[in-house]
Amino acid sequence: NAGVTQTPKFQVLKTGQSMTLQCAQDMNHEYMSWYRQDPGMGLRLIHYSVGAGITDQGEVPNGYNVSRSTTEDFPLRLLSAAPSQTSVYFCASSSPSTNEKLFFGSGTQLSVL
Amino acid sequence: AQSVAQPEDQVNVAEGNPLTVKCTYSVSGNPYLFWYVQYPNRGLQFLLKYITGDNLVKGSYGFEAEFNKSQTSFHLKKPSALVSDSALYFCAVSPISSASKIIFGSGTRLSIRP
């Protein structure tokens, strides 16, 4: 009964480093998305996907890449980390069968120094 | 483009009193509307959603929300607040035509005093 699994839970990077935040879901949901949460800004959509091989940009896509090679996985890549990317990142999945109700992972707290 | 506005950063209510957390939205076409809650050091939890039909939607923990198409609002309500309702609340919207793209508001912190 895992749901949406995000790894790692915590990460500290230096400016310019790259890394990948992992997200996997075991509910066979078609839709997956990445959000970042910042104080006073709420949740902002970074990228989303409606199925394997299909991704699209959200509100704040710059500095992030995604791919969706399988239904289960939706990794988020930071190409060259910047302090402005310090945030809490949430992955979510949903499906028309759930009327688009989002199931969230537990989040990744990322600090870029 | 779709957007959500939560005009109040914080709402303070005495326990036992009714509460309202405001949300207005902008979207092309008909919307899907949602409320989510985030308790301290925990993830986001679904409260309720409006898809179609009755304008008054009932959700978890005694919460309800009223969809008002003419005012493009979807305010969250509860008749009698509990201290345990203290949390961060998010309103969200997506157009039915692109239901996978869900946009959130900035959040409202609800504080219930005993």
Side-chain angles (χ1 to χ4, degrees), chain B residues 34-113:
Chain B
F34 307 85
W35 277 99
Y36 287 83
V37 60
Q38 185 177 39
Y39 296 102
N41 300 316
R42 290 168 64 177
L44 289 119
Q45 299 178 27
F46 171 82
L47 270 183
L48 53 82
K49 64 176 182 271
Y50 171 83
I51 304 295
T52 187
D54 194 348
N55 289 343
L56 186 64
V57 179
K58 294 188 183 298
S60 307
Y61 312 122
F63 284 93
E64 57 189 26
E66 186 168 12
F67 171 62
N68 187 317
K69 188 172 184 178
S70 63
Q71 296 186 3
T72 60
S73 67
F74 190 57
H75 301 330
L76 182 69
K77 301 180 180 182
K78 188 172 182 181
S80 179
L82 299 172
V83 172
S84 57
D85 293 330
S86 298
L88 186 57
Y89 289 81
F90 291 99
C91 182
V93 68
S94 71
I96 291 176
S97 59
S98 181
S100 57
K101 186 178 181 181
I102 300 177
I103 300 297
F104 283 76
S106 56
T108 298
R109 188 164 299 281
L110 181 62
S111 179
I112 310 299
R113 60 184 183 274

Side-chain angles (χ1 to χ4, degrees), chain A residues 3 27 37 39-40 44 54 58-59 62-63 65 68 73 81 89-90:
Chain A
M27 297 172 283
Q37 183 177 15
R44 291 182 291 171
I54 306 170
E59 303 170 278
N62 292 342
N65 273 2
R68 184 104 179 264
D73 299 301
Y89 292 83
F90 288 100

Side-chain angles (χ1 to χ4, degrees), chain A residues 31-33 35 37-38 40-45 48-50 57-59 90 94 98-106, chain B residues 2-3 9 32 34 36 38 42-46 49 51 88 90 92 94 98-107 109:
Chain A
Y31 307 153
M32 296 187 74
S33 49
Y35 293 87
Q37 183 177 15
D38 303 291
M41 305 291 289
L43 288 156
R44 291 182 291 171
L45 180 64
Y48 64 105
S49 169
V50 299
Q57 295 181 349
E59 303 170 278
F90 288 100
S94 64
T98 66
N99 283 333
E100 288 70 31
K101 169 186 169 182
L102 287 168
F103 292 78
F104 283 91
S106 57
Chain B
Q2 67 209 75
S3 64
D9 291 336
Y32 288 155
F34 307 85
Y36 287 83
Q38 185 177 39
R42 290 168 64 177
L44 289 119
Q45 299 178 27
F46 171 82
K49 64 176 182 271
I51 304 295
L88 186 57
F90 291 99
S94 71
S98 181
S100 57
K101 186 178 181 181
I102 300 177
I103 300 297
F104 283 76
S106 56
R109 188 164 299 281

Side-chain angles (χ1 to χ4, degrees), chain A residues 19-82:
Chain A
M19 78 158 296
T20 299
L21 278 62
Q22 302 291 344
C23 176
Q25 53 95 4
D26 61 358
M27 297 172 283
N28 203 33
H29 285 169
E30 293 91 328
Y31 307 153
M32 296 187 74
S33 49
W34 276 102
Y35 293 87
R36 59 177 288 174
Q37 183 177 15
D38 303 291
M41 305 291 289
L43 288 156
R44 291 182 291 171
L45 180 64
I46 304 172
H47 286 285
Y48 64 105
S49 169
V50 299
I54 306 170
T55 64
D56 205 347
Q57 295 181 349
E59 303 170 278
V60 287
N62 292 342
Y64 307 95
N65 273 2
V66 292
S67 60
R68 184 104 179 264
S69 56
T70 66
T71 299
E72 294 78 18
D73 299 301
F74 192 44
L76 179 72
R77 297 182 186 85
L78 281 70
L79 305 176
S80 178

